[in-house]
């Protein structure tokens, strides 16, 4: 008897559980899996056979019911229930994403018939568990976002105004310059009689501002009186609200600019802050760029900030960074243009163990190009880029497809940015570093050079050994003390600057 016949007989004679009631949508699941496989196969950083991805994902059934599991040999895919094979399917061609999606959906459907726990999860729960198990074998940033989570627009929006209640009347309190309300001619003090047809009479400011908010791109209708005109009806489009991310203060001879994250307006805000500071009052002797606690955000905004400070004539021809992947479409290179808004003034970059992703790209670019000295501790080490696609049913797939590299070619992932002055040690250790720099010596030179010499493929043990020179830590007052020392001591600043060569 051949093996296929044996499995067919086993399937027929095995005493099965009573079939569970399931709302499993096999056609939808097949489309979801097939689309995911087709998207992932050419893009993952390492080549992963679709069959291997399928087996990984089907182990999500076991996560829902430990008595159910998948298995695979050279020619067939099996579903095992209570240590007995209950379904056997021929393997599709290795590159047949649709075929693998179909067999995965058939196995999941049969498992839902056999297991009340799996049936209870339904299509959404089974698909989510499938991707959870699949991505357990990849990096921490590749993931599946289910339909309900994808449908929620977490970005808040408003028409560019806030409302206050004065003498029992709803009036415009503040107008955002350049926002929809400003473009429509509204001004502070204008009365608002209704929002979306609902009278404002008797409502408090909290409720009224809540009525103004909504998803970006949606409309809100206001009945208003502007100046001495008659009431008019205005329809305004809500826009996304970006929280402020750039904060500037003077600290002695330094301009300190904190960037808390990278949102849509961060680069413009940074350029505005820097230009205003340089054109008003005494010119600062140096710029301190505080990236401590910055978890990243929009990479293009970090690149744009770097272009504000790096000139193409610097080391590495003004290279800011690059992304490389297996798919040629993932490859990108970012370079500077002509123009340094700070006109060559000393730049000190503060980082800590929470500095990650786009913030690390910025810090690495300034250090590698000789435009800034990095002070703090080893950063987080998030240097992977994800590509996203929508799947049938409304879910979203994010798959890591590129590694971020610093201008000198070293990978940010795992390694992070090694500072040229380490402040995660004791006060005495920091003071000793600064004294050595004044004498033209660089205590962190060997560690920085080892970090810059790393290349993709570096092992975890090698990464940990490099990072031991300055373990990740939270920022402290030592960071700003070191920054002020560097800004006021040109010889120490120069000695620290060359340590990355």
């Amino acid at each position: 008897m051949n093996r296929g016949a044996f499995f067919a007989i086993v399937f027929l004679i095995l005493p099965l559980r009573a079939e569970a009631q399931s709302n499993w949508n096999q056609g939808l699941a097949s489309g979801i899996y097939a689309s995911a496989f087709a998207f992932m196969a050419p893009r993952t950083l390492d080549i992963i056979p679709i069959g291997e991805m399928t087996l990984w994902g089907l182990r999500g059934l076991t996560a829902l019911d430990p008595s159910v599991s998948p298995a695979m040999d050279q020619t067939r895919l099996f579903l095992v229930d209570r240590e007995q094979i209950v379904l056997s399917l021929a393997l599709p061609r290795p590159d047949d994403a649709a075929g693998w999606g179909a067999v995965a959906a058939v196995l999941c459907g049969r498992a839902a018939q056999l297991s009340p726990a799996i049936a209870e999860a339904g299509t959404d729960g089974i698909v989510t568990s499938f991707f959870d198990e699949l991505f357990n074998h990849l990096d921490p940033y590749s993931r599946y976002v289910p339909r309900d989570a994808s449908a929620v627009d977490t970005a808040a929006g408003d028409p560019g105004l806030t409302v206050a209640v004065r003498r029992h009347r709803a009036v415009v309190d503040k107008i955002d310059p350049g926002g929809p309300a400003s473009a429509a001619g509204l001004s502070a003090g204008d009365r608002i009689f209704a929002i979306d047809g609902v009278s404002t009479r008797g409502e408090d400011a909290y409720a009224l501002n809540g009525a103004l908010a909504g998803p970006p791109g949606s409309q809100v209708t206001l009945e208003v009186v502007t100046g001495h005109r008659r009431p008019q009806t205005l329809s305004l489009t809500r826009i996304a609200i970006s929280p402020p991310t750039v904060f500037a203060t003077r600290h002695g001879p330094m301009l300190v600019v904190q960037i808390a994250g990278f949102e849509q307006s961060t680069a413009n805000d940074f350029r505005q802050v820097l230009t205003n500071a340089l054109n008003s009052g005494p010119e600062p002797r140096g710029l301190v760029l505080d990236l401590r606690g910055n978890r990243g955000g929009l990479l293009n905004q970090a690149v744009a900030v770097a272009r504000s400070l790096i000139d193409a004539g610097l080391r590495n021809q003004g290279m800011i960074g690059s992304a490389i992947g297996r798919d040629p479409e993932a490859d990108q290179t970012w370079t500077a243009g002509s123009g340094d808004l700070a006109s060559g003034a000393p730049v000190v970059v503060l980082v800590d163990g929470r500095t990650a992703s786009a913030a690390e790209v910025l810090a690495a670019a300034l250090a590698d190009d000789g435009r800034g000295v990095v002070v703090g501790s080893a950063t987080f080490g998030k240097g992977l880029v994800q590509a996203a696609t929508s799947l049938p049913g409304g879910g979203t797939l994010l798959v890591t497809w590129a590694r971020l590299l610093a201008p000198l070619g070293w990978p940010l992932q795992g390694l992070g940015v090694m500072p040229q002055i380490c402040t995660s040690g004791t006060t005495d250790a920091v003071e000793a570093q600064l004294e050595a720099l004044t004498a033209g010596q660089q205590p962190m030179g060997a560690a920085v050079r080892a970090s810059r010499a790393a290349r993709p493929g570096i092992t975890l043990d090698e990464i940990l050994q490099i990072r031991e020179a300055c373990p990740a830590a939270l920022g402290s007052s030592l960071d700003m003390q070191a920054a002020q020392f560097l800004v006021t001591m040109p010889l120490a600043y120069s000695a620290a600057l060359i340590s990355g060569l």
Side-chain angles (χ1 to χ4, degrees), residues 123-349:
T123 302
D124 289 346
I126 295 171
V127 168
T128 298
S129 188
F130 182 96
F131 285 116
D132 286 347
E133 288 300 313
L134 193 165
F135 288 128
N136 279 343
H137 295 265
L138 300 182
D139 61 275
Y141 309 108
S142 296
R143 63 193 184 278
Y144 168 72
V145 182
R147 172 182 53 193
D148 291 344
S150 297
V152 175
D153 188 348
T154 57
D158 72 24
L161 65 89
T162 56
V163 176
V165 176
R166 296 177 185 145
R167 296 180 180 177
H168 308 291
R169 295 177 176 179
V171 297
V172 175
D173 184 33
K174 295 178 181 178
I175 294 284
D176 295 336
S182 175
L186 290 177
S187 303
D190 291 343
R191 289 186 60 187
I192 301 177
F193 288 94
I195 300 175
D196 284 334
V198 179
S199 173
T200 59
R201 184 185 298 273
E203 299 288 348
D204 60 25
Y206 180 84
L208 294 174
N209 285 296
L212 290 176
S218 62
Q219 299 284 315
V220 60
T221 301
L222 306 180
E223 185 179 339
V224 299
V225 172
T226 60
H228 299 290
R229 301 176 183 175
R230 294 181 178 181
Q232 60 178 315
T233 299
L234 298 176
S235 183
L236 305 179
T237 301
R238 296 180 176 100
I239 60 173
I241 303 170
S242 295
T245 57
V246 180
F247 309 90
T249 57
R250 287 276 187 160
H251 189 93
M254 306 177 297
L255 173 65
V256 179
V257 180
Q258 180 193 16
I259 300 181
F262 294 97
E263 301 290 344
Q264 196 62 52
S265 64
T266 298
N268 283 335
D269 292 346
F270 174 78
R271 285 190 289 267
Q272 188 65 50
V273 162
L274 191 55
T275 300
N276 290 344
L278 295 175
N279 293 335
S280 62
E283 185 171 323
R285 294 180 61 179
L287 169 66
V288 177
L289 193 58
D290 190 352
L291 302 180
R292 294 174 297 180
N294 185 323
R295 307 295 288 180
L298 299 176
L299 181 56
N300 66 336
Q301 292 297 298
V303 169
V305 171
R307 287 184 174 134
S308 299
L309 297 172
I310 296 174
D311 191 277
L314 292 175
R315 304 179 195 163
N316 312 308
Q317 291 75 53
M319 170 78 80
I320 292 172
S322 61
I324 58 170
R326 190 162 57 88
D327 184 340
E329 292 186 4
D331 296 348
Q332 297 183 72
T333 299
W334 301 283
T335 57
S338 58
D340 170 6
L341 293 182
S343 303
V347 176
V348 179
V349 186

Side-chain angles (χ1 to χ4, degrees), residues 400-417:
T400 293
W401 74 329
R403 294 181 176 90
L404 290 171
L405 303 183
L408 290 176
W410 47 277
L412 291 171
Q413 179 61 24
L415 195 61
V417 180

